Amino acid sequence: MIIEVLNTLLLSMLVVTALGIARMRSLFPVAMMTGLFSLLSASLFVLLDAVDVALTEAAVGAGIITVLFLGTFALTSAKEKTVLPRRALLGLGVVCVTGAILVYASLDMPHFGASDTPVHNHPMRERFVETSQAEVGIPNMVTAVLASYRGYDTLGEVCVIFTAGLGVVMLLGARKKAAR
Amino acid sequence: MRQHTLLRVCTRMLVPLILIFALYVQFHGDYGPGGGFQAGVIFAAGIVLYALVFGVEAARRAVPATWLRILSAGGVLLFAGTGVVSMLAGHNFLDYDALAGDPVAGQHIGIILVEFGVGMTVTGVILSFFYVFAGRGRRD
């Protein structure tokens, strides 16, 4: 019962935050509100028992991204450009159609908490949930899957992060050196 | 931001706690929620908070940008190196069974090393992002 109330409260706060972001023209409060949005999403992830994702969302979404936004505003402008009413209508149309498609797609998703879904019936489930305790012996099976069974993919992800870092430092960090 | 006593005092108390929590998330990732990526981001967030209150220059003195490059590359090297070591021991790439006599102990060692590599790279890259964004546009 409490979970339902919390879920409803958090989800409606998400909607209110999103509407608030859409209405604002000054971007500093928008950066703050997106941080709040991330924090609310992180709380929802905790309620869904996805604590790993919640940790990431809270640290990246509410912490790092907000600061990067602020840094970007300091370099560019903290004011949204005014949009012609005709283009605003077009944007509203695109958003509504995309939203409708997403809602339609979500109708195909299994019911929340249903037990007859591929997540529960797939043959690999037993390997990851049960055999992993004997093979890897680590209580957090998310870590066992990410670091051991799927180590190859995680190595690829780390390379992607490293490459992204290299790219940003080369693109944005170079000019400062030249100016010195 | 440098005049706000309250912010300065609170940050001074919070930053060490955040950094220790990051290390906890890093090395306790096998048993509780978390892991290298989360730990790296939390560690970087701690340094970013320090930089916001005490200035980016102070943070650069504490964690120089050169370290971050070594950290980012070192993480990838540690991860891939763990794979190469298991290959040299006659197993598949990234098959941690090879790292110790007992396969489960080998898995533990492998996962700790690999997750530490992830954490190093993530901290290095995210802090580099921050330094680059914060250092741009200023003519000093």
Side-chain angles (χ1 to χ4, degrees):
Chain A
M1 181 57 201
I2 288 182
I3 296 283
E4 274 90 0
V5 173
L6 275 178
N7 270 331
T8 319
L9 195 70
L10 284 174
L11 281 170
S12 35
M13 279 165 81
L14 270 186
V15 173
V16 171
T17 315
L19 289 177
I21 291 173
R23 283 180 55 86
M24 282 176 189
R25 289 291 162 267
S26 174
L27 294 178
F28 274 110
V30 167
M32 298 299 165
M33 294 282 272
T34 46
L36 177 64
F37 193 89
S38 294
L39 204 61
L40 289 171
S41 320
S43 320
L44 271 174
F45 292 145
V46 172
L47 285 181
L48 289 168
D49 275 344
V51 195
D52 291 81
V53 189
L55 269 177
T56 315
E57 179 69 43
V60 179
I64 305 286
I65 297 288
T66 311
V67 173
L68 287 187
F69 268 144
L70 295 182
T72 315
F73 296 154
L75 301 179
T76 57
S77 155
K79 199 88 185 142
E80 195 180 321
K81 267 191 195 160
T82 42
V83 183
L84 296 175
R86 225 187 45 185
R87 291 189 58 186
L89 268 181
L90 185 75
L92 184 66
V94 171
V95 166
C96 285
V97 170
T98 317
I101 292 174
L102 286 176
V103 169
Y104 177 70
S106 76
L107 295 179
D108 265 355
M109 278 169 68
H111 194 263
F112 182 70
S115 60
D116 55 341
T117 58
V119 179
H120 299 285
N121 295 333
H122 196 278
M124 288 308 277
R125 186 206 71 97
E126 204 198 330
R127 178 80 187 265
F128 289 149
V129 176
E130 279 148 32
T131 322
S132 80
Q133 294 309 308
E135 274 182 345
V136 183
I138 279 177
N140 183 359
M141 61 186 90
V142 177
T143 303
V145 171
L146 280 181
S148 186
Y149 291 107
R150 226 198 56 161
Y152 220 83
D153 300 61
T154 308
L155 176 60
E157 280 169 14
V158 176
C159 290
V160 167
I161 294 172
F162 178 63
T163 317
L166 269 185
V168 168
V169 170
M170 282 169 82
L171 281 174
L172 295 178
R175 190 179 291 175
K176 199 191 156 204
K177 251 187 203 152
R180 256 184 198 168
Chain B
M1 204 78 79
R2 274 162 223 195
Q3 310 83 322
H4 294 78
T5 317
L6 200 61
L7 275 177
R8 290 173 61 100
V9 171
C10 287
T11 310
R12 251 183 222 290
M13 290 195 297
L14 273 177
V15 168
L17 286 181
I18 295 175
L19 298 187
I20 288 194
F21 180 65
L23 291 176
Y24 165 78
V25 170
Q26 171 79 56
F27 292 109
H28 203 256
D30 309 1
Y31 300 97
F37 186 82
Q38 288 87 347
V41 175
I42 293 172
F43 201 90
I47 308 280
V48 167
L49 176 64
Y50 182 78
L52 285 181
V53 175
F54 294 97
V56 180
E57 286 314 312
R60 271 183 201 276
R61 278 196 299 276
V63 188
T66 332
W67 290 14
L68 296 180
R69 283 176 209 168
I70 297 169
L71 209 63
S72 322
V76 179
L77 270 180
L78 180 62
F79 200 137
T82 311
V84 172
V85 167
S86 61
M87 240 162 96
L88 290 178
H91 283 63
N92 285 329
F93 185 61
L94 291 174
D95 183 356
Y96 315 131
D97 286 2
L99 297 178
D102 175 35
V104 173
Q107 291 283 342
H108 274 250
I109 295 171
I111 288 177
I112 284 175
L113 286 176
V114 155
E115 289 278 355
F116 192 54
V118 176
M120 282 165 71
T121 300
V122 169
T123 305
V125 166
I126 288 187
L127 270 183
S128 307
F129 280 179
F130 174 68
Y131 281 175
V132 163
F133 270 79
R136 221 174 131 80
R138 250 181 336 151
R139 297 276 167 265
D140 48 2

